[in-house]
Amino acid sequence: LQQRRGIRLSAPAAIQVTVRDALNQALDEELERDERVFLLGEEVAQYDGAYKISRGLWKKYGDKRVIDTPISEMGFTGIAVGAAMAGLRPVCEFMTFNFSMQAIDQVINSAAKTCYMSAGSIAVPIVFRGPNGASAGVAAQHSQCFAAWYGHCPGLKVVSPWSSEDAKGLLKASIRDDNPVVMLENELLYGVPFEMSEQAQSKDFLVPIGKAKVEREGTHVTLVSHSRPVGHCLEAAAVLAKEGVECEVINLRTIRPMDVETVEASVVKTNHLVTVEGGWPQFGVGAEICARIMEGPAFNYLDAPAVRVTGADVPMPYAKILEDNCIPQVKDIIFAVKKALNI
C-alpha cells in the first residue's frame, strides 16, 4: 500500500551472522521441515554441542531427534549409516574430523559405496559434519585437513564452507541430498561474523552442491581456495590491489564434485593460477585443480606454471610459532602470486 502511494521503502538490510549461528539455524530449519532428520554425536544434546552448533535443539526437539552418543565413532557412525539406509536422514557430527578416522570404514565402505554397489536401489542420505583442518594449539592429531582424503572417494559429495551463507546453504542442501555428504567446517570460523543477505535468511535458501563462487573479480591472477584460506586470499588480494595486481578469488565451496568450469573460465581470463589450501601438498586439492587445468582447454591460456600454496609437509607442531609456519599465511599467498606473475 505504501509503495502504491509512492512512499519509497528501503530494502531489508543484510545482517551479521556468525558461522556457528548459521549452522544452528540450518539444523533447526531442517529438523523442523522434515521429521526424518535427526542429529547425533558426542555432546550434541544436553551440552548443546562441543562448539555450541546444536545450541537449543535438544530442548526444542527432544531425545529422539537430537541424540547424545558414547565416545565411539565407529559405533554411532554405523548406527547413522544404517538409519540412512532405512529411510531416515541423519546428521552425524564428529567432534573433529580427525576422529572420523575411527569411523572411516563406515564412511567409505558402508556409506559411500552402497548406492553404487546396489545399482542405485539403496540411497544413503546422510551428512557427516564437524570441524576440519587446523585449529589453534591442538597439535598434529587434531589439525589435519581431510578434504583430499574424502574428495578422493567416489560415492561421496564433499563440501567445505567459508562464510555464514556457505555454511547455512550447504548444510541445508547436504541434508536434502540423497547421497552421503561430508561437510568440512572450520573451528576457527565458528565465531566469525559474516554478512548474510535477506535471501540467505529464508528457510528455502540453499547453496547448490558442486558450484564455486567468485568472491572477488580480477584480471591478473586466479586464486582458488576453500574454507578458511578463502579469507586469507581476499586479504592478499586487497594488499596486491594497492600494487596494481588484481586477483580473482574463487571460493570452491565444494571439493567433490569440483566446479572446474568456473576455475577454467577464470584462468582463461587471467592467464595465471595460484591454489591455496591448509592441507598437505602431496595429492592435495591444489594438485587436483592443477591437473584438471593442465588436462583441459584452459591450459593453453596459462602464461606461467600454476603455483600451489599449501600447509607444510609435516605433522602439525604444537608450538604456536611453528604452527604459524606450517599454515599458509597472507604473506605466502602474496609471494606465490608474485612468483606466478614474475614480479
Side-chain angles (χ1 to χ4, degrees):
L1 185 61
Q2 287 177 315
Q3 285 177 319
R4 287 180 184 176
R5 291 173 178 167
I7 300 172
R8 189 172 181 181
L9 300 176
S10 60
I15 59 172
Q16 293 280 319
V17 177
T18 65
V19 171
R20 173 182 290 107
D21 288 342
L23 291 166
N24 179 266
Q25 192 177 98
L27 285 168
D28 189 9
E29 291 172 3
E30 293 305 300
L31 284 161
E32 182 179 61
R33 185 188 68 87
D34 188 343
E35 64 181 13
R36 296 172 298 173
V37 176
F38 70 98
L39 172 67
L40 80 166
E42 294 155 359
E43 299 183 349
V44 300
Q46 296 187 41
Y47 189 67
D48 278 342
Y51 302 100
K52 306 307 175 191
I53 303 300
S54 54
R55 184 178 56 236
L57 299 180
W58 173 67
K59 288 180 181 176
K60 184 173 180 179
Y61 295 101
D63 290 324
K64 290 187 177 180
R65 305 290 302 283
V66 183
I67 304 169
D68 278 331
T69 65
I71 303 174
S72 176
E73 279 77 12
M74 176 65 84
F76 69 74
T77 305
I79 289 169
V81 173
M85 290 177 180
L88 299 180
R89 306 187 83 87
V91 178
C92 178
E93 177 178 307
F94 295 120
M95 197 175 288
T96 159
F97 258 94
N98 299 270
F99 300 161
S100 76
M101 295 299 292
Q102 298 289 328
I104 200 165
D105 180 59
Q106 298 287 7
V107 177
I108 304 298
N109 282 326
S110 297
K113 298 177 182 177
T114 293
C115 184
Y116 279 77
M117 292 173 70
S118 66
S121 64
I122 303 175
V124 189
I126 185 171
V127 180
F128 304 101
R129 54 153 297 272
N132 170 70
S135 178
V138 291
Q141 292 166 327
H142 301 78
S143 296
Q144 187 173 332
C145 176
F146 287 90
W149 284 58
Y150 288 117
H152 180 65
C153 182
L156 290 177
K157 293 185 178 181
V158 182
V159 299
S160 181
W162 168 60
S163 68
S164 297
E165 287 196 5
D166 289 351
K168 181 182 179 183
L170 284 171
L171 181 51
K172 287 171 71 73
S174 299
I175 290 171
R176 297 184 190 191
D177 201 290
D178 286 335
N179 297 279
V181 182
V182 171
M183 182 159 174
L184 304 170
E185 301 154 13
N186 187 284
E187 181 187 338
L188 296 178
L189 287 174
Y190 283 154
V192 178
F194 289 88
E195 194 171 87
M196 187 175 275
S197 65
E198 181 195 6
Q199 179 190 12
Q201 295 167 46
S202 163
K203 290 185 178 182
D204 298 320
F205 177 71
L206 301 174
V207 168
I209 295 174
K211 185 61 183 169
K213 181 182 179 184
V214 178
E215 297 286 351
R216 179 187 174 117
E217 299 276 353
T219 54
H220 294 127
V221 61
T222 298
L223 291 174
V224 187
S225 190
H226 67 96
S227 190
R228 187 166 174 257
V230 173
H232 297 339
C233 288
L234 289 170
E235 288 180 46
V239 172
L240 287 160
K242 295 174 182 176
E243 301 178 30
V245 177
E246 293 298 331
C247 301
E248 182 144 296
V249 179
I250 296 177
N251 172 11
L252 270 182
R253 299 198 296 195
T254 304
I255 306 301
R256 184 184 186 104
M258 187 178 284
D259 184 2
V260 178
E261 291 78 12
T262 294
V263 180
E264 284 180 334
S266 181
V267 169
V268 166
K269 179 170 67 170
T270 67
N271 311 117
H272 297 89
L273 173 64
V274 174
T275 67
V276 184
E277 64 188 305
W280 294 320
Q282 191 155 322
F283 314 115
V285 174
E288 176 66 16
I289 294 168
C290 291
R292 300 281 278 273
I293 292 300
M294 189 185 76
E295 292 168 349
F299 175 72
N300 295 312
Y301 290 84
L302 280 175
D303 287 342
V307 179
R308 290 182 294 157
V309 179
T310 71
D313 198 21
V314 296
M316 184 64 70
Y318 173 73
K320 181 174 179 2
I321 190 167
L322 295 176
E323 182 180 68
D324 288 344
N325 280 284
C326 287
I327 301 171
Q329 307 291 337
V330 172
K331 63 180 176 59
D332 302 316
I333 300 168
I334 293 171
F335 178 83
V337 167
K338 291 183 175 181
K339 179 181 177 182
L341 295 173
N342 195 28
I343 57 176

